[in-house]
Amino acid sequence: MATPTATYRINQILDLTLAGTSLTALILIIARFGFFLTPEIKSIVGQLTELALAIFVGQVILRATFGDRNLLAYIRHQPLELVMLLVSVLYFADLPLVNRALAWLVPGIRLDQVGLLYLAVIQVMLIVVTLVSQAKKYQWFRRASLDPGMIMILSFLLAGGLGTGLLLLPKATVHSISVTDALFTAVSAICVTGLLPFNLAETFTPLGQFFILILIQAGGLGIMTLTMMFMTLFPGSLSVKEKILLAKLISEDNIGLVRDLLRKIIVVTISIEAIGAVALYIAARGFDQPIDMNVFYHCIFHSISAFCNAGMTLFQGSYDHMGANAFSAILMVLIICGGLGFPVISEIVTQARSRYPMRIYNVSVATKLVLVSSVCLLSVGTVVVALLEGRESLSHLPFGEQLFHASFFSVTTRTAGFSSWSLAEVSAPTLIFLMMLMWIGASPGSTGGGIKTLNFAVVLLSLRQHIKGHQGLNVFRRRISPESVLRSFNIVTLTMMMSAASMALLFFIEPQLEALPLAFEIVSAIGTVGLSVGVTEQLSDLGKYLIVLLMFVGRIGPYTLLVGLYMEHYKQRHRYLEEDLQLF
């Protein structure tokens, strides 16, 4: 057993070794997957890969040897290290059965590439931790109190930049694309919007589609949520300050429940997406045909895209070749689940598993408002779209099909962005009504955008109470705090002002395009919906940059953006005398 001082120095050396190995792995994985290499360079990359894996295994053994625990105890407390160690051992053992199984599950991927990917992820985490630790040495950083809003802003900016770089790799696209289009696509994915200046399947290779899928998943869950989840896999890695920050990010009052809540979010998300992918595959292929991994990959992509309300698709047009209505119905269920938000889903699951399931007085006011407003919006949306388009674009379909397509559009306009028929065929009144649905959006804590159903409900109910002469807002035998009502009005007002100003600016930038399609594009970007009347690819670079900005602001939220940028937060220590104003 080494002395504490010797153990500390050994761990320092091993930390530096792991950092260097991880940086090498990051470079190797970018070179191997992103660029076209000559046979000589491929051979060198392969040898360096084996060396990186061997160094990783060696440092794990050394940490366990000179640490307080033996190797088995050390690995048991480090789950990711165990997975990586297993991958390395299987790779060096070169078992044909393992390689064939991996080739069947994920065509084109080998065990050494899995190991490289893990080390590359470690390096990204190390870079973030190193930058933060170095920044803390400076006085200005210590004085700056970064609140959750600013953390969210910076994380989405960083992810958008990294995504742009990945999509510009030679192997990510079928043909080269401009920096503007790469930035547009990356921001659209990370902000789970779905607007694209070209067809996704025809422009990006499977590697590029994989990058987009990762961006969608990260944007849907929240980048900081994924980062903190990664850190929680290492015992003791989250400080009290970090737990408090994360509790604010995920709206959890008890910091002791942060780790459990994070795991619940990840588990619920992966479970719903996995069930959705299997259901989509069954709808597309049935039970009587052999497994087609290409179709299953498409189902995984659409399951994640639907649950995260991204609306990005690998198909052009309808889903007739994938089971049509059954495929679309499953997408609708995934969109609704993602649009409700994790707090609502968690409360529904908790109530369903309790001794007295779904007792109305046990359900929070927020969940009741979200559920009631969602049902009302979906129902009203279905009826109105069916009435408006029953004699227009849907006139050739039977009544049942008309209702189905109307309900699909009522669901998908709530920030999802999938389309069962071309919006170019839709009448102007329907487009304006769909803009209203897109503007309202999904629910708080969800993967969707918009002003949120809860804010919409609070504003309507508050107006109703005020018109009737009642003081305050009472809902479901509970009084809503004035601060919550004011926040809802602020969000609605800011979004309306931003939408109007953005429309005027885009009309000025793109005078050759019609006003209604441009206005639809603006609302779609702010609501992170992704539906378009077909003008996205016709926008100039300046117009695309404006849409990029609106997608970013729409995902963060204009209210959160302003609060995050305004750094001088302080409590008002006094109150002035009140005075009534003559407002009408």
Side-chain angles (χ1 to χ4, degrees):
M1 179 71 67
T3 62
T5 303
T7 302
Y8 175 75
R9 290 178 179 175
I10 290 172
N11 283 329
Q12 276 191 320
I13 296 173
L14 292 177
D15 287 341
L16 291 174
T17 304
L18 180 61
T21 305
S22 300
L23 180 59
T24 304
L26 183 62
I27 296 172
L28 290 175
I29 202 166
I30 292 175
R32 171 172 287 188
F33 288 104
F35 295 89
F36 297 97
L37 306 177
T38 62
E40 293 80 10
I41 299 297
K42 281 185 178 179
S43 176
I44 295 174
V45 168
Q47 294 172 6
L48 290 175
T49 299
E50 294 181 352
L51 179 61
L53 294 178
I55 292 174
F56 178 83
V57 173
Q59 66 91 23
V60 170
I61 295 173
L62 288 174
R63 286 181 191 275
T65 303
F66 293 98
D68 297 331
R69 306 185 183 101
N70 57 37
L71 181 59
L72 292 178
Y74 174 81
I75 292 175
R76 190 161 52 246
H77 286 79
Q78 302 286 349
L80 289 181
E81 304 257 338
L82 174 60
V83 173
M84 181 58 186
L85 196 60
L86 180 61
V87 168
S88 302
V89 170
L90 290 175
Y91 170 71
F92 287 115
D94 195 22
L95 299 175
L97 180 62
V98 175
N99 291 323
R100 284 198 299 269
L102 185 64
W104 180 77
L105 289 172
V106 190
I109 298 294
R110 299 193 304 273
L111 279 172
D112 60 330
Q113 295 171 344
V114 175
L116 270 184
L117 181 61
Y118 173 81
L119 290 174
V121 170
I122 288 180
Q123 178 57 28
V124 172
M125 296 299 301
L126 287 172
I127 291 173
V128 173
V129 172
T130 302
L131 288 176
V132 173
S133 62
Q134 291 298 317
K136 286 179 179 178
K137 296 179 181 179
Y138 296 95
Q139 194 71 20
W140 64 269
F141 187 87
R142 289 200 298 267
R143 286 200 304 264
S145 55
L146 295 181
D147 63 2
M150 179 56 69
I151 294 291
M152 189 181 296
I153 293 169
L154 294 176
S155 63
F156 273 95
L157 284 175
L158 178 61
L162 290 174
T164 302
L166 290 174
L167 295 180
L168 286 173
L169 292 174
K171 280 190 175 181
T173 54
V174 176
H175 51 79
S176 61
I177 60 176
S178 66
V179 176
T180 300
D181 287 339
L183 173 65
F184 191 99
T185 306
V187 172
S188 182
I190 199 67
C191 295
V192 290
T193 303
L195 288 173
L196 289 171
F198 34 57
N199 181 271
L200 191 151
E202 296 175 356
T203 305
F204 293 99
T205 63
L207 176 66
Q209 295 170 15
F210 175 74
F211 288 151
I212 291 172
L213 194 60
I214 295 298
L215 290 172
I216 290 173
Q217 188 72 87
L221 281 174
I223 300 150
M224 287 306 298
T225 302
L226 288 177
T227 303
M228 293 297 185
M229 181 60 201
F230 185 91
M231 294 175 67
T232 58
L233 293 174
F234 301 96
S237 57
L238 281 180
S239 65
V240 173
K241 185 177 180 181
E242 289 165 342
K243 286 182 179 180
I244 293 173
L245 174 62
L246 186 57
K248 293 179 180 179
L249 282 170
I250 59 179
S251 302
E252 173 57 50
D253 296 328
N254 190 345
I255 65 171
L257 299 178
V258 166
R259 191 187 298 269
D260 291 336
L261 184 57
L262 277 176
R263 289 174 179 169
K264 282 183 180 179
I265 292 174
I266 301 297
V267 169
V268 168
T269 299
I270 294 176
S271 300
I272 293 177
E273 290 172 349
I275 294 171
V278 172
L280 289 173
Y281 183 84
I282 293 173
R285 300 285 290 181
F287 294 97
D288 55 345
Q289 298 188 40
I291 296 178
D292 188 332
M293 292 307 297
N294 184 50
V295 175
F296 193 58
Y297 159 72
H298 280 68
C299 293
I300 293 174
F301 188 99
H302 286 83
S303 179
I304 295 175
S305 182
F307 181 75
C308 293
N309 282 207
M312 289 191 174
T313 178
L314 299 177
F315 305 129
Q316 184 72 26
S318 67
Y319 307 113
D320 291 340
H321 59 298
M322 295 293 285
N325 288 354
F327 195 89
S328 298
I330 296 168
L331 288 180
M332 289 166 62
V333 174
L334 290 169
I335 292 167
I336 291 172
C337 289
L340 286 177
F342 180 79
V344 175
I345 294 175
S346 177
E347 187 167 356
I348 291 174
V349 172
T350 301
Q351 289 294 329
R353 296 167 67 179
S354 65
R355 185 176 179 182
Y356 304 103
M358 297 310 290
R359 289 287 181 89
I360 193 66
Y361 51 77
N362 289 334
V363 182
S364 67
V365 174
T367 297
K368 291 176 187 176
L369 283 174
V370 166
L371 293 176
V372 171
S373 59
S374 297
V375 170
C376 291
L377 287 169
L378 293 176
S379 303
V380 171
T382 300
V383 173
V384 172
V385 173
L387 289 175
L388 292 175
E389 292 301 312
R391 296 184 180 181
E392 299 290 339
S393 60
L394 298 177
S395 59
H396 63 287
L397 297 175
F399 181 71
E401 289 285 321
Q402 290 182 8
L403 277 182
F404 179 82
H405 285 285
S407 62
F408 185 86
F409 253 92
S410 180
V411 170
T412 194
T413 47
R414 304 280 307 292
T415 82
F418 289 104
S419 177
S420 58
W421 87 92
S422 175
L423 282 173
E425 305 173 8
V426 175
S427 62
T430 305
L431 286 179
I432 294 173
F433 178 73
L434 293 180
M435 289 168 62
M436 293 172 58
L437 292 179
M438 293 192 300
W439 182 70
I440 296 170
S443 304
S446 70
T447 56
I451 64 170
K452 309 299 184 187
T453 55
L454 193 58
N455 292 317
F456 180 70
V458 167
V459 169
L460 285 185
L461 291 173
S462 181
L463 287 173
R464 176 176 174 270
Q465 293 282 86
H466 188 72
I467 291 172
K468 294 173 67 175
H470 295 171
Q471 295 295 323
L473 176 58
N474 302 315
V475 183
F476 297 117
R477 298 184 178 180
R478 293 290 187 274
R479 183 178 178 83
I480 307 300
S481 68
E483 291 79 10
S484 297
V485 176
L486 180 60
R487 191 181 300 115
S488 295
F489 271 96
N490 287 340
I491 291 171
V492 171
T493 304
L494 283 172
T495 307
M496 291 179 65
M497 292 172 60
M498 185 177 67
S499 301
S502 302
M503 287 178 189
L505 184 57
L506 191 60
F507 294 164
F508 175 77
I509 295 174
E510 309 288 351
Q512 75 282 3
L513 298 177
E514 295 182 14
L516 182 57
L518 289 178
F520 193 91
E521 195 88 1
I522 289 289
V523 178
S524 181
I526 294 175
T528 67
V529 180
L531 289 174
S532 176
V533 191
V535 301
T536 308
E537 58 272 12
Q538 302 177 41
L539 295 175
S540 63
D541 284 351
L542 187 57
K544 289 178 181 177
Y545 285 125
L546 175 60
I547 297 297
V548 165
L549 178 62
L550 293 177
M551 289 190 292
F552 174 76
V553 176
R555 182 65 181 95
I556 301 296
Y559 185 80
T560 304
L561 181 68
L562 291 178
V563 171
L565 292 177
Y566 188 72
M567 302 299 293
E568 297 181 9
H569 300 292
Y570 60 91
K571 273 191 175 181
Q572 192 170 352
R573 300 181 182 276
H574 55 274
R575 294 180 62 183
Y576 294 103
L577 294 175
E578 292 183 2
E579 183 173 335
D580 290 330
L581 300 177
Q582 186 69 34
L583 299 176
F584 50 85

